[in-house]
Amino acid sequence: MHILSSILQLPPSVADRTQLRGCVPSRRRQLEIQVSHKNKCGKCRKVKGRQNKIKQYCQKDFVFRGRIVSKKIVGKETCYDVQVVITYKNNFPILRREYMWVPNTCDCPSLLEKREYILMARRHVNYEKTLNRILLESDSFVRLYKPKEDKMLRDLDQECAKYGYQTHPKLNQ
């Protein structure tokens, strides 16, 4: 084991890289390295481009504008209490107040309380059909709400047919 890794309590591979550069990482960098090795979250992926936005709109079960009321980590998932402001698309009934689940604790996508977002999510029903919930995947379309998004989302139903994207049929109701 390298002296540097034993002093800083870093994995040997990180210590090797810092020794090669001839420097010792700052305390802040040491903490970043330790945190990244613990949760291995990585960088959040963001949906980019009009085509991807249209594709997600067509393929997701729920598209709505929601205000994040609270956030709670439950096991290996994050649960958001969301106040639904406007629905643009819902293949299944949605209430004005819903719980939305994210299958990680990495803050991907990053949502802040008391802010409004455009959210594209899907319905998740487990194998036993005992769990029925709204699932926001880490690569789902999420944007801070802006009035120009409102107009664009209202016209996307025609775009689904135009670009040939398949929409989810209403199954398991």
Side-chain angles (χ1 to χ4, degrees):
M1 185 181 279
H2 288 82
I3 297 171
L4 184 61
S5 65
S6 63
I7 293 171
L8 299 176
Q9 297 175 341
L10 298 174
S13 61
V14 175
D16 292 341
R17 287 195 306 265
T18 56
Q19 238 178 2
L20 289 174
R21 284 190 229 130
C23 65
V24 176
S26 67
R27 182 68 184 144
R28 180 177 174 191
R29 180 68 184 135
Q30 291 171 26
L31 292 174
E32 287 174 4
I33 292 168
Q34 288 173 352
V35 168
S36 70
H37 284 288
K38 284 181 185 175
N39 58 20
K40 298 195 187 307
C41 287
K43 187 176 180 181
C44 296
R45 290 182 292 165
K46 189 174 181 180
V47 175
K48 294 182 180 179
R50 180 171 166 75
Q51 287 296 321
N52 288 326
K53 185 187 303 186
I54 294 168
K55 184 177 182 180
Q56 285 223 6
Y57 177 90
C58 298
Q59 292 178 341
K60 299 292 181 175
D61 296 318
F62 304 101
V63 179
F64 60 94
R65 183 172 106 201
R67 179 178 291 117
I68 306 301
V69 177
S70 67
K71 170 185 166 181
K72 184 178 182 182
I73 293 180
V74 181
K76 293 183 178 182
E77 297 178 304
T78 306
C79 178
Y80 291 95
D81 184 0
V82 180
Q83 177 187 356
V84 178
V85 179
I86 292 176
T87 59
Y88 301 100
K89 175 185 173 187
N90 54 317
N91 291 343
F92 304 96
I94 190 169
L95 302 174
R96 286 286 160 207
R97 192 80 174 257
E98 288 281 358
Y99 288 109
M100 186 174 57
W101 293 84
V102 178
N104 66 54
T105 58
C106 298
D107 274 341
C108 283
S110 178
L111 302 174
L112 301 174
E113 291 180 16
K114 297 180 179 52
R115 295 272 181 97
E116 285 189 18
Y117 294 90
I118 300 294
L119 304 159
M120 296 186 187
R122 71 178 182 89
R123 179 181 182 214
H124 175 252
V125 179
N126 68 346
Y127 181 72
E128 295 86 18
K129 297 190 183 342
T130 57
L131 186 65
N132 182 3
R133 61 189 187 171
I134 297 174
L135 185 69
L136 187 69
E137 295 153 317
S138 58
D139 62 345
S140 291
F141 180 88
V142 174
R143 290 288 185 281
L144 198 57
Y145 171 73
K146 294 177 185 165
K148 71 175 187 174
E149 294 279 353
D150 189 58
K151 184 181 182 319
M152 190 275 306
L153 286 167
R154 292 184 189 276
D155 301 330
L156 280 185
D157 277 326
Q158 297 86 22
E159 299 288 323
C160 293
K162 179 179 168 183
Y163 288 104
Y165 292 123
Q166 295 293 320
T167 57
H168 284 301
K170 294 183 180 181
L171 299 174
N172 302 329
Q173 289 187 354

